[in-house]
Amino acid sequence: MAEIEKKRVFRVPHVYTIILVLMAVFAVLTWVVPSGSFERQEVNGREVTVSGTYEPVDKIYADEDGNEVDLRQGVFDVLEAPAVGIQQAVEVVAFILIVGGSFQVITATGAITSGVARVVKKFKNKDVFIIPILMVLFALGGSTFGMAEETLPFFAILMPIMMSMGFDSITAFMTVFVGARIGYIASTVNPFSVLISQGILGIQGNPQLWLRTIALVVLTAVAVAWVVMYALKVRKNPEASLAFHDDIEKRKEFGADDSLLDSEFSGRQKAVMAIFVFGLVAIIWGLVAQGWYMNEISAIFLAMALLSGVVSGMNEKEIAGEFVKGIADFAFSAIVVGLARGILVIANDGLIIDTILNTLATALSGVPSVIFTSILYVVDNLLAILVPSSSGIAALTIPIFGPLVELMGLNPEAAVTALSMGGTAMTLMSPTSPVLVAGLGVCKISLGQWWKVAWKFFLVVSVICMAFTAVSGLIPLS
């Protein structure tokens, strides 16, 4: 009977399988959903949708050269989409691989784990406070400069530390991922969600910054409480963790044994730690003051790796070997990001995204205000599965939803709030979320394990976000 029950347990498919199935689903939709497109125009250097310009497009038509174009995506298109998706996401893929290789060189020196271990040891019986401290810092990064891919190195940093403290790999993942994501959801001055959306709508001065700050405090407090309660439960009863059996091997792989907290912090390691801290300061300065993005951050990490290797006493073969090892460890995460982009390739080539968007915008007209803002939030939530980029969703929806919100007699900031919250909250769970799948890959946690842990938290966050979206719309225009 036990064997029969075991066979009946639902197993979440591999993330590659989920992505391939989604590609096939959207390929079928290109045959069913009418094709169409909006006109685009450039606003502040970005291409945005022009409201009221949607025009249907025939599934089969002749281009300017007389060649037949068929928008219906077939089996071969689905098989091509992964390669095209990786090519289109090459900047992110390259970033993950370079950072992964560089970070492996830094971690091979033992400086980061020994340095953080010294801090943890000083907390003694209050080491659990490391979790809220780190989460608040990550949340501030997500809320202000849109910290996302920049968190990837921290997953590997915290894995051995958290496990040596008696927590599991899921706790390490949540501390980084949930911390940064909750800050991104409650964006205050995030240029990739709030500021770009306000720029498209012509809103000056971020008039609802006070509301966004309240949301940041509330959501961060909820997230910290959830992660700390989970961490304490797992430390008290390790077998309660879904990753309990997997973590036995991870502890060996990441060197997370009891001696980690007593490891020596040598002079060379202190020098490496100084290089690492200086590099992070340079990255934050570049992001905030210089508009840096992934290429510049990759360059800093590579410089940190080379300097750390030399300072720690490694020879060139050892540095190169560790770099290759890091690339191998991060390859899964990098490829998943590219494959997920393939879903968007299918939808774009079939010209169905604008049709879906136009249909949703039309259907929302005439709905009561509070229900309208909630639906707006849910729509942005669902669109994040297809377009896992807040700036991408902003470019698609804000030109349409902004005027629509005003026509409903509400504050247009509701469209911004729905976008910043709804467009990010879904990335807590979506298999097309690059940061989620990349972080899970680094921590060697399956998507199924994460869904089982996080679904209740996702629902609580969604309810809170819908409440803030409604308040945002009901605030009178100044």
Side-chain angles (χ1 to χ4, degrees):
M1 287 296 293
E3 291 182 1
I4 295 175
E5 289 297 322
K6 188 175 182 181
K7 291 179 180 179
R8 290 178 181 175
V9 175
F10 173 72
R11 302 279 184 185
V12 176
H14 193 282
V15 65
Y16 284 1
T17 305
I18 294 172
I19 291 173
L20 186 61
V21 169
L22 287 173
M23 287 181 190
V25 168
F26 277 96
V28 172
L29 289 178
T30 64
W31 289 70
V32 178
V33 176
S35 297
S37 64
F38 287 98
E39 292 180 9
R40 261 75 174 177
Q41 66 182 20
E42 191 171 294
V43 175
N44 296 329
R46 289 184 176 271
E47 192 178 67
V48 300
T49 305
V50 180
S51 180
T53 62
Y54 175 81
E55 292 290 340
V57 177
D58 292 333
K59 290 290 184 185
I60 303 175
Y61 65 92
D63 62 17
E64 295 178 354
D65 298 325
N67 299 316
E68 184 179 272
V69 177
D70 190 346
L71 299 176
R72 300 170 299 179
Q73 303 296 290
V75 174
F76 196 72
D77 297 301
V78 173
L79 295 175
E80 277 188 324
V84 178
I86 292 173
Q87 293 166 27
Q88 291 188 2
V90 66
E91 187 178 20
V92 180
V93 172
F95 172 81
I96 293 173
L97 293 177
I98 294 297
V99 170
S102 300
F103 184 71
Q104 176 59 35
V105 176
I106 298 169
T107 54
T109 67
I112 296 176
T113 51
S114 295
V116 176
R118 288 283 292 271
V119 175
V120 171
K121 191 175 181 181
K122 287 184 179 180
F123 275 81
K124 296 182 179 179
N125 296 329
K126 298 180 180 178
D127 56 2
V128 72
F129 287 108
I130 288 290
I131 295 175
I133 291 171
L134 290 175
M135 288 187 68
V136 168
L137 292 175
F138 287 127
L140 289 173
S143 182
T144 54
F145 63 84
M147 192 177 195
E149 287 86 358
E150 299 85 355
T151 61
L152 290 179
F154 293 98
F155 291 110
I157 291 175
L158 288 184
M159 280 286 284
I161 298 297
M162 288 294 179
M163 288 194 287
S164 67
M165 291 164 61
F167 303 122
D168 64 348
S169 58
I170 296 177
T171 301
F173 173 78
M174 290 195 299
T175 301
V176 180
F177 177 73
V178 176
R181 284 287 91 183
I182 211 70
Y184 209 119
I185 291 170
S187 292
T188 50
V189 293
N190 184 346
F192 304 111
S193 57
V194 171
L195 298 189
I196 184 179
S197 299
Q198 291 178 331
I200 293 171
L201 292 178
I203 297 174
Q204 301 283 329
N206 203 345
Q208 291 191 6
L209 179 59
W210 62 272
L211 180 65
R212 304 187 199 290
T213 303
I214 294 173
L216 176 62
V217 173
V218 171
L219 286 169
T220 302
V222 170
V224 167
W226 177 62
V227 175
V228 169
M229 286 191 296
Y230 173 86
L232 292 176
K233 180 186 75 172
V234 168
R235 184 154 70 176
K236 183 178 180 180
N237 180 19
E239 293 188 10
S241 169
L242 292 174
F244 174 71
H245 296 291
D246 298 334
D247 281 357
I248 295 174
E249 291 300 319
K250 292 180 196 176
R251 289 177 188 278
K252 297 177 183 177
E253 180 179 348
F254 286 90
D257 52 30
D258 295 335
S259 64
L260 179 63
L261 297 182
D262 297 318
S263 58
E264 180 187 0
F265 195 32
S266 67
R268 286 181 180 271
Q269 289 178 331
K270 290 177 182 178
V272 171
M273 195 67 177
I275 292 171
F276 182 72
V277 171
F278 181 80
L280 291 183
V281 171
I283 289 172
I284 293 172
W285 170 78
L287 286 167
V288 175
Q290 302 298 313
W292 285 3
Y293 197 39
M294 285 182 281
N295 289 340
E296 294 83 357
I297 297 172
S298 298
I300 295 296
F301 263 102
L302 185 56
M304 289 161 57
L306 295 174
L307 288 173
S308 297
V310 172
V311 168
S312 67
M314 291 183 182
N315 59 44
E316 56 88 15
K317 286 188 177 180
E318 290 172 329
I319 294 174
E322 292 296 338
F323 190 83
V324 171
K325 181 181 177 183
I327 288 177
D329 288 342
F330 278 69
F332 171 81
S333 304
I335 297 302
V336 167
V337 170
L339 293 179
R341 184 63 176 265
I343 300 170
L344 183 58
V345 169
I346 294 288
N348 273 334
D349 289 349
L351 290 183
I352 62 172
I353 291 181
D354 285 1
T355 300
I356 295 171
L357 188 59
N358 183 64
T359 302
L360 291 171
T362 303
L364 289 173
S365 299
V367 175
S369 58
V370 175
I371 298 177
F372 170 78
T373 56
S374 297
I375 294 175
L376 199 64
Y377 170 86
V378 172
V379 169
D380 278 318
N381 213 239
L382 296 175
L383 283 173
I385 300 175
L386 182 60
V387 187
S389 162
S390 56
S391 59
I393 299 176
L396 284 169
T397 64
I398 291 297
I400 299 168
F401 287 170
L404 184 60
V405 169
E406 291 186 280
L407 288 174
M408 294 290 295
L410 301 173
N411 193 319
E413 279 272 33
V416 178
T417 306
L419 177 280
S420 62
M421 290 187 166
T424 307
M426 180 54 76
T427 62
L428 288 170
M429 304 291 283
S430 174
T432 63
S433 168
V435 181
L436 172 61
V437 295
L440 290 174
V442 173
C443 296
K444 303 184 185 301
I445 299 168
S446 73
L447 190 62
Q449 288 174 326
W450 174 243
W451 281 348
K452 289 177 182 177
V453 170
W455 70 271
K456 291 180 181 178
F457 174 70
F458 171 72
L459 293 179
V460 171
V461 168
S462 296
V463 171
I464 296 172
C465 288
M466 282 190 282
F468 275 104
T469 303
V471 172
S472 178
L474 294 173
I475 294 173
L477 286 166
S478 56

